[in-house]
Structure formats: structure tokens, C-alpha cells
Amino acid sequence: MRAFIMPVGCKSSGELRLVERADPRPGHGQVVVRIRAASLNYRDQSIVAGRYFGGTPDHDMTPLSDAAGEIIAVGEGTGRFKPGDRVAATFSQIPPSGPRSAPPVPLGSPLDGVLAEQVVLYEDGLVAVPPDYSFEEAACLPCAGVTAWNALMVAGRQLVPGDTVLVLGTGGVSMFALQFAIAAGARVIATSSSDEKLARLVALGASDGINYKRTPDWEKEVLRLTGGRGADCVVEVGGAGTLARSFQSLATGGKVALIGVLTGPGGDTNPQPLMRKRASLHGIFVGDRAMFEQMLVAIKVTRIKPIVDRVFAFEESVAAFAYQASGAFIGKVVIRL
Ligand SMILES: NC(=O)c1ccc[n+]([C@@H]2O[C@H](COP(=O)([O-])OP(=O)(O)OC[C@H]3O[C@@H](n4cnc5c(N)ncnc54)[C@H](OP(=O)(O)O)[C@@H]3O)[C@@H](O)[C@H]2O)c1
């Protein structure tokens, strides 16, 4: 089978190499998944550039955390799935080389990722894919979908109809948050660097769009648009560079779901407005299988489909990384295998 690898010391997606590997065999409690689609997250750009927590890879590593495919072999001690079942992998997995009792860690770093024709995983780290979802759509769910679900529906105060949700930018997490929030009866205010993208978000149901380049003090615009009240939930993907404005954007009793680092490490993170607003700040790290399955129930009822901007062929994976890094997309960039 074929797999892409990030070679030892990899510092750019241009260094990704397509290699031939032995077909994996399932151990006890494990299955082999024939990967049919994988999606990219911002995190994957940091990993391939050697900027993620662990630095550059110390061995040849397969990139990407998010994938969907079909089971082609099952090991002893399995029972949740059978060959032919359509599945998606959870973001964190029990290391396939370790015991079933080992703590789960993320795919794509430190675990080998999913940009490969076949991967072996413990069956506990899989969910069934909705029947009306293509593999390309299902591959968008594990990180971006579950993170947005956790931010809105699990962490802290749960979203209720009539709430206002602020989403920052038009990437994978923010677009899932927009869709889940609208389906839950919330008003969504969105920011973007692009008026064209904002027009698309309004067509998708956002009540208002704010261009954060032209309106750098966008927190004032959020307050104006809400009659001074503010947002009940901010889906905070910017990090240190946007956090202070997110605090200012909040309604009394609102929450900030702290997710991302798009603006880098520097910025104003003074938490004082949280006190005055009796607000809360919740750190998010994707979510577990239970959250994934809860999200799938909601997806079945609401018929939400991920926003897939563009699909690349497996052989075009380097171009897929470059396109995602360009920021020219909304939602998700997918690779078909
Ligand atoms: N903690 C977790 O569990 C978790 C899970 C998933 C992702 N994340 C993090 O969340 C962030 C988003 O991830 P993603 O995969 O959704 O990203 P993505 O799909 O790559 O989205 C990137 C988009 O973010 C927007 N953006 C960039 N700079 C911005 C800024 N200063 N203010 C507002 N928006 C900005 C841009 O949208 P426009 O072009 O519209 O301006 C850009 O296209 C990343 O930092 C990622 O590491 C964390």
C-alpha cells in the first residue's frame, strides 16, 4: 500500500514523499481501514512545518489526523464492526503498537497519521459514518466537527435557541460552529478577512458579517449589532491576538471557547472583562468518541453536511497542503484516496 510520509526533520509540505509500505495487519481488538478520504486542519500545517509542540518529526511519519474509509480486515477480539462497514477515526487513538488500556493520543502527531491507503486502529477509536455522507464529507468530522460541537454544546453553558454565537474566520472549526449554531436556533455573527467569504456566510445563514481587516475593533461592531448586549458564545480560534476583543464581545454570563492559535503567541490576554461580565473561559481539546457520536445524532436530525471547499486526488496531496495554507478556502480541504 502507498502512504505519504513527512521525512525526519521535515519543515515544509513540499518535503512530503509518497512511499510503498507493507499492508498492515490487525492485532487483538484492531481493524484495518482502507482510507477513502482525509481532510486537512490548520494543525497539520504546523506539524508539517515542524512548528507543532513536538518540533520536527524524529522518524518518517504519516501526516493528517482526520479520515474516513471502509473496514477491510478485523482482528481477534473485535465485534463493533465488520468488513465493509464505513467508518471515521476519532482524533485521539490508543497507540496501535500499545495495549488497549493505553491512554489515547492524537493521530498525525505523535501517532502516525491517516494519509495512507490502509491504517490499523483499535476498533474503539472508530465511529460509523452517516449513510448519506460521502467519505469526503465524513473525513471532515473528527477534528473540526467535534471541536465545534464541544465548544457549543458540551463545554460550560450549553447553547440555547436565541443565543448569539460569534465565529472568527471561515476555516473548518468556524464553519461547523456556524452550521451547528444556526441549526440550534442561534444567531451567528461571523468575521472574515474577505467580503466575498462573508457574503457566502450570510447566504449560509449568518445574520451579520464583519471584515476584521477593515474593522480591526470588531468587538465594538459585535456589541453594536447586538444592541450592546454581546455574544453568548465566542468560538475563539484566534488565540492571544484576538482574545481580548473576544472578551469585550461577550454578553453577561457568556462563554469563550478557547480553541485556536491562528494569531500566534503574542497579544493582549487580560482576563479582567470576564469578571465584570461574570463570563467563563473554556479550554477545548477536540473531544472524545462520546461527543463525536452525540454530534452524529444531531447531524442525522439536522441533515447538516460539511462545507467542502475542494477535493484533491491522493497524488496531489502536496498541492492540497499548499491550497489549505493559502487561506483561499472556506470550510474544509479534502484529499480523496
Ligand atoms: N483546541 C482544539 O481542540 C483545536 C481543534 C481544531 C482546531 N484548533 C485550532 O483552531 C484554529 C482554527 O483551526 P482550523 O483547522 O479550523 O483552521 P483553518 O481551517 O485553517 O482556518 C483558517 C481560517 O482562519 C481565519 N483566520 C486566520 N487568521 C485570523 C484572525 N486573525 N482572525 C480571525 N480569523 C482568522 C481565516 O479565515 P478568513 O480567510 O475568513 O479570514 C483562515 O482562512 C487553529 O489555530 C487550530 O490549531 C484547535
Side-chain angles (χ1 to χ4, degrees):
M1 67 109 182
R2 296 178 303 162
F4 270 94
I5 54 145
M6 304 181 275
V8 176
C10 181
K11 283 197 170 164
S12 127
S13 59
E15 295 177 49
L16 290 177
R17 278 206 324 265
L18 189 56
V19 299
E20 196 65 37
R21 286 268 161 97
D23 289 358
R25 287 164 181 255
H28 195 269
Q30 296 179 334
V31 301
V32 179
V33 182
R34 170 64 172 95
I35 302 295
R36 293 292 179 193
S39 79
L40 284 88
N41 294 292
Y42 179 82
R43 169 181 182 265
D44 302 309
Q45 300 287 350
S46 311
I47 292 170
V48 83
R51 290 196 311 262
Y52 200 60
F53 300 121
T56 58
D58 60 3
H59 63 284
D60 290 354
M61 249 176 71
T62 304
L64 302 191
S65 59
D66 291 10
E70 61 209 329
I71 306 248
I72 55 170
V74 297
E76 301 269 317
T78 55
R80 289 186 63 225
F81 298 104
K82 59 182 186 318
D85 283 353
R86 301 165 78 247
V87 293
T90 55
F91 177 77
S92 290
Q93 296 279 331
I94 297 163
S97 55
R100 205 167 182 165
S101 55
V105 282
L107 288 166
S109 179
L111 295 182
D112 251 342
V114 293
L115 193 55
E117 287 172 329
Q118 297 179 23
V119 299
V120 66
L121 299 169
Y122 280 102
E123 66 167 0
D124 302 343
L126 299 171
V127 298
V129 162
D132 61 337
Y133 261 47
S134 66
F135 287 122
E136 289 81 4
E137 289 164 341
C140 299
L141 298 173
C143 179
V146 176
T147 299
W149 180 263
N150 186 356
L152 297 179
M153 304 299 184
V154 183
R157 175 188 177 281
Q158 205 176 337
L159 200 64
V160 292
D163 275 358
T164 297
V165 174
L166 173 64
V167 300
L168 306 183
T170 56
V173 173
S174 298
M175 290 304 87
F176 272 113
L178 173 138
Q179 291 177 288
F180 292 147
I182 290 172
R187 171 186 182 185
V188 174
I189 300 175
T191 73
S192 174
S193 56
S194 152
D195 288 341
E196 194 193 327
K197 290 183 181 182
L198 287 171
R200 290 175 67 189
L201 301 205
V202 169
L204 286 165
S207 69
D208 308 273
I210 307 169
N211 187 316
Y212 62 80
K213 292 273 187 219
R214 251 203 341 272
T215 311
D217 48 358
W218 41 265
E219 76 285 4
K220 292 188 182 140
E221 186 62 6
V222 174
L223 292 172
R224 190 190 69 76
L225 288 167
T226 55
R229 184 176 175 277
D232 299 284
C233 176
V234 182
V235 179
E236 225 311 336
V237 293
T242 48
L243 204 50
R245 295 185 193 281
S246 292
F247 292 156
Q248 299 289 352
S249 306
L250 276 180
T252 298
K255 73 170 173 185
V256 171
L258 180 60
I259 296 168
V261 293
L262 287 169
T263 58
D268 175 5
T269 55
N270 178 3
Q272 216 170 348
L274 292 180
M275 286 185 263
R276 194 167 29 87
K277 292 169 183 261
R278 302 189 291 284
S280 58
L281 175 65
H282 296 267
I284 303 286
F285 192 67
V286 191
D288 57 19
R289 197 182 97 196
M291 291 181 210
F292 200 152
E293 287 171 339
Q294 193 188 21
M295 176 186 79
L296 288 172
V297 174
I299 279 175
K300 189 174 171 195
V301 173
T302 57
R303 301 187 175 190
I304 285 172
K305 289 285 189 99
I307 299 166
V308 177
D309 184 282
R310 192 161 157 193
V311 179
F312 288 81
F314 185 43
E315 295 75 14
E316 299 171 324
S317 291
V318 173
F321 269 84
Y323 181 65
Q324 214 259 354
S326 76
F329 64 98
I330 75 163
K332 298 296 293 179
V333 177
V334 174
I335 296 169
R336 182 184 293 135
L337 284 87

